[in-house]
Amino acid sequence: MSLKGRKQAFRVTRGVGDAAEMEEYEIELDEGMVVLDCVHRIQHEQQPDLAVRWNCKAGKCGSCSAEINGRPRLMCMTRMSDVVAETPAGTPIEIRPMKAFPHVKDLVTDVSWNYEVAQRIAPVKGPEAPNWEFNQAEAHRVQHFRECIECFLCVNTCHVLRDHARFDAFAGPRNLVRLAQYEMHPLDEEDRLPEIKNEFGVEYCNITRCCTEVCPAGIRITDDAIIPLKERVVDRYYDPLQRIWRAITGRKVRM
Amino acid sequence: MSKEPYTEHEYDVIVIGAGGAGLRAAIEAARQGARTAVITKSLLGKAHTVMAEGGCAASLGNADDRDSWKVHFHDTMKGSKYLADWRMAEIHAKEAPDRVRELEQWGAVFDRTPTHVINQRNFGGHTFPRLAHVGDSTGLEIIRTLQERGIHEGIDMFTEHTVRHLLKEGERVTGCVAYGRVKGDFHAFSAKSVVLATGGITRCWTVCSGSWEYTGDGHALALWAGAELRDMEFVQFHPTGMVWPPSVRGILVTEGVRGEGGRLYNSEQQRFMFDYVPAMFRGDHADTIQESDQWVAEVVSGRQATVRRPPELLTRDVVAKAINAEVKAGRGSPHGGAFLDISHRGKDAILHKLPSMYHQFKELAGVDISEEMMEVGPTAHYVMGGVRVDPQTQETTVPGLFACGEVASGLHGANRLGGNSLSDLIVFGKRAGEHAAKRAKNLAPPPIDEAQVQAAIAEMVEPLERGEGENPGRIYDEMRDMMQAKVGIIRTKHELEEAVDDLRAFKARAQACFPGTDRRYNSGWHQALDLINMADVSMAATLAALTREESRGGHTRDDFPTPDDDHWGQHLNIVWMEEGELKIRQERLEPIRGDLVAVLDEVKAMIKARAEEQGGAR
Ligand SMILES: Cc1cc2nc3c(=O)[nH]c(=O)nc-3n(C[C@H](O)[C@H](O)[C@H](O)COP(=O)(O)OP(=O)(O)OC[C@H]3O[C@@H](n4cnc5c(N)ncnc54)[C@H](O)[C@@H]3O)c2cc1C
Ligand code: SF4
Ligand code: SF4
Ligand code: FES
């Protein structure tokens, strides 16, 4: 579908917190535009002080998360042809900020909580000597998690946080991915399971897979990161054989 | 002048920028015991470095044990057309391997060789496979590693804060003034050392691969504080940016595609790069399609190459100009580029080695690169020019002010080799942090000069109080279009002269625009301020381009199409500012140290012998 020349209406969140309202804009579209292009066009032609967070416009930095027609997505990777197609004729396209985080202004939210949780996670601790050795298969398992662009769309979508606001007890899917990445690092020596269970509350997740569905990096958050962490916690805390094995060998259990 | 409230802070070392260079500098400064803060325009982990794709150059010798610092040094100097600062090229080549190994120990998980160590890939201008990489998202890996390390070093992070002014006391820099993007509040920092790590300037062109942050803030801060810039005429136009659809024009297609065997075609299905091998590189690239296919087959299967590499892997300036020439000759692709094909590698290899390229084309252009060709064309990608620094310490010509990463200059001369930026960040980031901390050790905390702070704040607030004026977004778009048209990949005297006048006019317009009155997260306000830096930095690039009457590396003059080795091969352009006006002068290059000349000769002889073995010099 060619979009060139088409007039398109948008409803965009404007203002701060409770005082925010939906404001309507109309712009002319061009070929191949993404939603972020439209927001920029609104800024450059009509509303210079419209707040939007973005950096790369290439799906690589995870800055431009928003809810487009109610679906959490990256504005820079969402093509207007798709959005126009999914929007009923005559209705404006709606762009709102992520709902789970405190509102800053317009399309911008305060995602600092994610960074605070990350701060509490110990960094990798491996051999002192350089030139670490591990094979591509081992690397690959961790690399998959490291493709996370920190868009926090998963966190925004997880009901434990979005609906129940358990920011105090649960690390959220993004930081569980980070924990999985360290826990499964072939040479990491840190014992992370006590924290994963207690401080980071892996057990709050009830495997709804909503986070996985929205991840623009295609990380299978629930199946590849969270479920294995849950299993390790179960083995450690609820499996007596493993506990004895650990007491004898003093070793971390590998799966 | 009404007084604005601001918050005072005091540190030993302030690092401006949280890309690879800034984070590495901050980690080092903190490790040396300095009280360190990082100030960045974006959130942590979002800096431009996150976009880097292909890899990080270091002669680890894992993929080909014939590699060494000497060959890396030679390749960097040759790629720079011998304008690089040879001391920096030496330090860089020698220290990059350790910096990469250190990243691994901080958690970076690079792709592996069959022998379980860090794998390395081929890139243009690198004699051997040299780039440590993670698929095509190496920058993400590096920035995340430094971020995850950095937050545990006791560094204070001021995210979404923009530095607008450097404080001075006499000759030396003593801190900076910033505004908070979220609240629109103001902050004054006292610092014994300030490190600029603000990245590049490529947003000054319409077709560019850079993020919104690339407005040349650090370059402008340095000029305003009295520091010198060099090599500003050298802007790297990466040969392969996306060209279609218009909204993605400029987004990078990593050189890794060619490193993995990608072939360039014109509309007549010719592998045109065979016709564009410059004299300097003649003899070390494949002569035939067969030879180049054999090279790809060998290296992708992890063997050492026994023949010469495809001409697609010539340095970026050469490939970009070749595509430009093909398009001009009427042999371009439908949307004014060339075709790049990787489909012969098969879907599995593409998904493993170039996953983000696959998704980028699929999602943004509706093209499946495992079956179809890509359309690509030049995009403004990197600025070789920047703040002049001491090669050892990274201190600028202004005491107390350091610079590292893309904002600094010297390592890349007239043309940067791919992969040499990520290594630049970690090698010279570390050095800048170390020396900034060292300097801070012997100094008392400088006082904050309230008058300077208030003057800086007044400049920042002014656009909000204009009441009326143009939308800054419009000026921004038009100024970038002008730079694209007149200071682009091919330049001529009269266009450059026009650009000088145009930039004056744009600056005047920028000083009269109106972004609304809101201080909180007002993108238009931030842009109104950025426009001033962009105008000054664009002017520096234009003046230098006008002065250099020859073609070399990232600077091509239609009216002076050949290199002038006798004069310009020996001289650098230095730009600085006096009372708001840019000045320019030439400086003669210092001859390369004797032992390094011997290194260059040794490597040249090795490459020549190898080329003769592999295919016979032409
Ligand atoms: C798409 C793409 C792919 C690339 N691929 C490669 C590659 O494969 N290999 C390679 O070697 N190089 C590559 N490069 C080049 C390389 O990524 C950059 O040169 C490098 O990342 C620059 O890093 P930096 O640390 O100097 O700056 P950046 O990472 O750009 O960081 C700049 C920082 O400064 C901050 N900043 C700027 N101005 C201000 C201000 N006024 N106040 C406060 N903070 C400020 C920003 O917020 C940011 O945090 C690529 C570049 C692009 C665009
Ligand atoms: S799978 Fe777990 S983490 Fe993901 S959304 Fe559901 S509850 Fe949240
Ligand atoms: S895991 Fe996926 S959805 Fe969550 S922050 Fe990372 S990239 Fe975004
Ligand atoms: S702007 Fe970077 S992911 Fe959208």
Side-chain angles (χ1 to χ4, degrees):
Chain A
M1 179 183 23
S2 173
L3 296 176
K4 197 166 172 58
R6 182 193 165 100
K7 295 256 192 296
Q8 177 65 50
F10 290 85
R11 275 162 59 79
V12 183
T13 305
R14 274 285 282 169
V16 180
D18 290 341
E21 287 176 0
M22 298 305 284
E23 180 126 355
E24 226 171 286
Y25 301 94
E26 190 181 84
I27 56 162
E28 197 177 298
L29 301 186
D30 264 323
E31 203 74 64
M33 278 179 123
V34 293
V35 172
L36 185 60
D37 291 317
C38 298
V39 174
H40 286 158
R41 188 158 285 184
I42 294 171
Q43 279 182 332
H44 287 201
E45 290 173 359
Q46 303 174 33
Q47 194 78 66
D49 63 355
L50 182 69
V52 57
R53 190 182 270 137
W54 69 287
N55 274 56
C56 68
K57 205 166 113 45
K60 293 193 163 74
C61 74
S63 300
C64 65
S65 308
E67 302 192 359
I68 304 159
N69 284 342
R71 255 180 67 198
R73 299 178 250 190
L74 295 178
M75 285 186 272
C76 72
M77 293 303 276
T78 307
R79 293 171 78 182
M80 280 305 292
S81 51
D82 296 336
V83 184
V84 167
E86 79 189 15
T87 312
T91 359
I93 291 166
E94 236 182 51
I95 316 177
R96 294 173 184 270
M98 288 193 283
K99 179 176 167 243
F101 302 109
H103 193 206
V104 169
K105 184 186 146 186
D106 305 346
L107 297 175
V108 177
T109 55
D110 176 0
V111 293
S112 56
W113 172 79
N114 297 285
Y115 292 93
E116 284 155 21
V117 175
Q119 183 85 55
R120 306 206 307 264
I121 298 175
V124 155
K125 196 173 116 215
E128 290 285 326
N131 289 317
W132 288 4
E133 289 187 20
F134 48 87
N135 65 33
Q136 184 58 42
E138 289 171 304
H140 193 70
R141 199 160 52 148
V142 185
Q143 284 173 336
H144 176 52
F145 299 134
R146 296 181 65 87
E147 279 164 23
C148 169
I149 57 172
E150 306 214 298
C151 65
F152 311 123
L153 286 169
C154 56
V155 179
N156 177 54
T157 313
C158 174
H159 68 105
V160 180
L161 302 161
R162 188 181 177 100
D163 301 329
H164 305 291
R166 292 312 309 266
F167 291 97
D168 55 333
F170 182 50
R174 191 292 169 249
N175 276 307
L176 288 173
V177 168
R178 196 193 303 275
L179 284 159
Q181 147 210 314
Y182 289 145
E183 175 65 18
M184 295 180 207
H185 187 292
L187 298 181
D188 180 53
E189 293 156 4
E190 200 79 54
D191 179 11
R192 300 173 186 276
L193 287 181
E195 281 176 352
I196 290 172
K197 178 182 187 310
N198 301 319
E199 194 176 343
F200 299 120
V202 73
E203 286 155 317
Y204 279 90
C205 162
N206 58 348
I207 318 190
T208 59
R209 296 197 172 81
C210 311
C211 53
T212 304
E213 259 167 49
V214 298
C215 176
I219 302 171
R220 298 183 351 143
I221 304 172
T222 325
D223 289 63
D224 292 352
I226 299 181
I227 293 178
L229 289 182
K230 279 172 169 286
E231 286 172 354
R232 288 178 189 208
V233 166
V234 168
D235 286 344
R236 163 79 65 95
Y237 290 96
Y238 308 104
D239 180 340
L241 273 179
Q242 292 270 11
R243 223 184 287 172
I244 294 165
W245 168 253
R246 227 180 30 257
I248 298 168
T249 63
R251 275 176 49 197
K252 182 168 165 178
V253 185
R254 290 249 171 246
M255 307 172 70
Chain B
M1 190 169 66
S2 66
K3 280 196 179 176
E4 291 274 347
Y6 62 88
T7 315
E8 290 195 0
H9 310 265
E10 192 190 290
Y11 289 94
D12 293 332
V13 175
I14 295 275
V15 179
I16 308 175
L23 288 172
R24 188 62 191 82
I27 290 172
E28 200 59 28
R31 291 191 160 199
Q32 306 270 336
R35 289 191 54 243
T36 306
V38 169
I39 308 176
T40 154
K41 291 206 279 191
S42 294
L43 296 174
L44 212 48
K46 310 295 184 191
H48 200 78
T49 299
V50 79
M51 296 166 77
E53 296 166 354
C56 174
S59 60
L60 297 161
N62 289 352
D64 193 322
D65 59 16
R66 295 170 296 185
D67 202 8
S68 69
W69 78 264
K70 292 180 177 176
V71 190
H72 195 181
F73 168 73
H74 160 271
D75 293 351
T76 302
M77 290 305 296
K78 183 173 175 185
S80 81
K81 319 296 167 193
Y82 295 97
L83 288 196
D85 183 313
W86 44 266
R87 296 180 201 79
M88 285 180 82
E90 179 193 14
I91 292 171
H92 170 253
K94 283 183 173 164
E95 294 181 2
D98 280 347
R99 295 287 81 77
V100 170
R101 292 185 192 110
E102 173 182 81
L103 285 179
E104 179 168 70
Q105 291 184 291
W106 292 351
V109 182
F110 292 106
D111 282 356
R112 318 307 291 177
T113 63
T115 53
H116 302 182
V117 291
I118 297 173
N119 200 0
Q120 295 176 276
R121 77 160 36 120
N122 283 288
F123 241 54
H126 292 282
T127 301
F128 295 112
R130 188 176 285 146
L131 272 65
H133 62 275
V134 183
D136 53 6
S137 52
T138 314
L140 170 62
E141 187 65 22
I142 289 183
I143 200 164
R144 201 67 80 232
T145 301
L146 291 171
Q147 171 187 349
E148 287 176 345
R149 181 71 251 166
I151 58 173
H152 298 292
E153 299 282 353
I155 301 162
D156 287 347
M157 303 280 182
F158 293 83
T159 59
E160 298 197 308
H161 284 71
T162 303
V163 175
R164 188 65 200 159
H165 181 82
L166 297 176
L167 293 169
K168 285 188 75 176
E169 184 187 76
E171 280 308 296
R172 67 169 181 150
V173 163
T174 52
C176 61
V177 186
Y179 64 89
R181 285 162 49 79
V182 172
K183 295 193 193 128
D185 53 348
F186 300 103
H187 300 263
F189 296 82
S190 152
K192 300 170 186 172
S193 304
V194 173
V195 181
L196 293 173
T198 51
I201 69 168
T202 49
R203 272 272 143 190
C204 297
W205 288 266
T206 312
V207 180
C208 75
S209 62
S211 74
W212 71 269
E213 298 189 308
Y214 264 33
T215 46
D217 298 17
H219 291 74
L221 288 169
L223 281 175
W224 300 339
E228 291 177 349
L229 309 186
R230 59 171 272 189
D231 298 340
M232 287 303 288
E233 64 273 42
F234 296 114
V235 177
Q236 180 165 78
F237 288 83
H238 193 291
T240 61
M242 291 177 82
V243 299
W244 189 259
S247 95
V248 301
R249 192 169 190 127
I251 295 182
L252 193 75
V253 179
T254 174
E255 185 167 327
V257 174
R258 281 169 289 137
E260 295 291 333
R263 302 161 179 168
L264 282 166
Y265 293 95
N266 62 19
S267 61
E268 292 168 5
Q269 286 83 49
Q270 289 156 338
R271 290 273 294 273
F272 59 85
M273 282 311 301
F274 286 100
D275 303 331
Y276 287 93
V277 185
M280 188 184 199
F281 291 99
R282 202 147 289 153
D284 35 334
H285 285 74
D287 283 331
T288 62
I289 291 184
Q290 194 192 8
E291 182 178 359
S292 109
D293 286 352
Q294 186 185 337
W295 182 90
V296 173
E298 287 174 353
V299 302
V300 303
S301 63
R303 279 174 286 152
Q304 286 191 353
T306 63
V307 293
R308 295 167 304 175
R309 56 184 41 214
E312 273 86 353
L313 286 174
L314 280 156
T315 52
R316 290 177 174 174
D317 52 327
V318 176
V319 182
K321 278 182 255 176
I323 294 177
N324 205 59
E326 285 297 305
V327 174
K328 269 207 170 145
R331 294 187 293 269
S333 67
H335 302 105
F339 293 105
L340 175 62
D341 187 20
I342 187 73
S343 61
H344 53 277
R345 286 293 311 277
K347 191 157 182 165
D348 286 349
I350 292 171
L351 280 178
H352 174 54
K353 282 297 185 183
L354 302 162
S356 75
M357 283 306 107
Y358 179 83
H359 291 291
Q360 184 173 311
F361 273 90
K362 190 101 193 163
E363 281 157 40
L364 294 176
V367 168
D368 179 347
I369 66 167
S370 69
E371 288 175 1
E372 300 164 74
M373 298 205 211
M374 299 162 246
E375 264 189 81
V376 296
T379 179
H381 181 61
Y382 185 90
V383 61
M384 273 70 77
V387 186
R388 196 175 188 195
V389 290
D390 177 272
Q392 298 283 343
T393 64
Q394 300 292 104
E395 192 161 29
T396 69
T397 44
V398 174
L401 184 64
F402 298 74
C404 56
E406 192 167 339
V407 67
S409 65
L411 176 60
H412 310 295
N415 174 61
R416 171 180 74 95
L417 296 186
N420 263 3
S421 170
L422 292 178
S423 44
D424 173 3
L425 310 184
I426 48 180
V427 167
F428 292 107
K430 174 180 186 288
R431 280 181 168 261
E434 180 185 326
H435 291 281
K438 239 182 221 157
R439 175 186 156 89
K441 276 198 182 120
N442 309 319
L443 293 173
I448 291 175
D449 171 8
E450 157 131 42
Q452 278 186 61
V453 178
Q454 286 298 349
I457 295 176
E459 189 256 355
M460 291 188 258
V461 173
E462 205 246 338
L464 299 170
E465 292 170 347
R466 286 182 193 139
E468 57 177 7
E470 269 184 289
N471 185 327
R474 170 153 312 192
I475 305 169
Y476 179 83
D477 292 344
E478 287 178 23
M479 187 159 85
R480 297 174 70 208
D481 285 346
M482 187 284 291
M483 286 297 286
Q484 185 77 28
K486 297 181 184 171
V487 196
I489 183 165
I490 311 282
R491 300 143 176 199
T492 67
K493 182 164 196 243
H494 73 273
E495 283 181 351
L496 291 167
E497 282 170 350
E498 278 174 31
V500 169
D501 292 338
D502 292 351
L503 284 168
R504 291 218 172 90
F506 279 118
K507 189 166 171 180
R509 276 169 70 186
Q511 283 163 335
C513 70
F514 180 53
T517 57
D518 195 356
R519 291 196 185 187
R520 291 160 311 167
Y521 221 113
N522 179 345
S523 307
W525 178 33
H526 306 157
Q527 195 164 53
L529 296 173
D530 290 345
L531 279 172
I532 309 289
N533 334 330
M534 291 172 75
D536 281 351
V537 169
S538 298
M539 186 69 97
T542 307
L543 277 185
L546 192 55
T547 310
R548 181 172 288 271
E549 296 189 327
E550 66 151 359
S551 293
R552 178 182 302 270
H555 169 68
T556 306
R557 286 282 295 262
D558 216 14
D559 42 355
F560 298 93
T562 51
D564 166 5
D565 289 332
D566 291 339
H567 179 71
W568 283 111
Q570 314 292 329
H571 286 86
L572 301 174
N573 273 323
I574 309 289
V575 177
W576 75 103
M577 190 175 252
E578 262 174 43
E579 279 150 31
E581 281 295 314
L582 286 175
K583 308 273 174 189
I584 187 162
R585 69 167 191 274
Q586 284 71 50
E587 237 174 63
R588 210 179 156 79
L589 280 175
E590 206 183 315
I592 303 181
R593 211 174 61 221
D595 58 315
L596 292 177
V597 173
V599 165
L600 289 175
D601 290 341
E602 179 189 326
V603 176
K604 273 184 204 152
M606 182 274 290
I607 291 175
K608 185 151 177 283
R610 220 178 121 224
E612 276 162 11
E613 237 168 68
Q614 292 174 347
R618 271 193 273 195

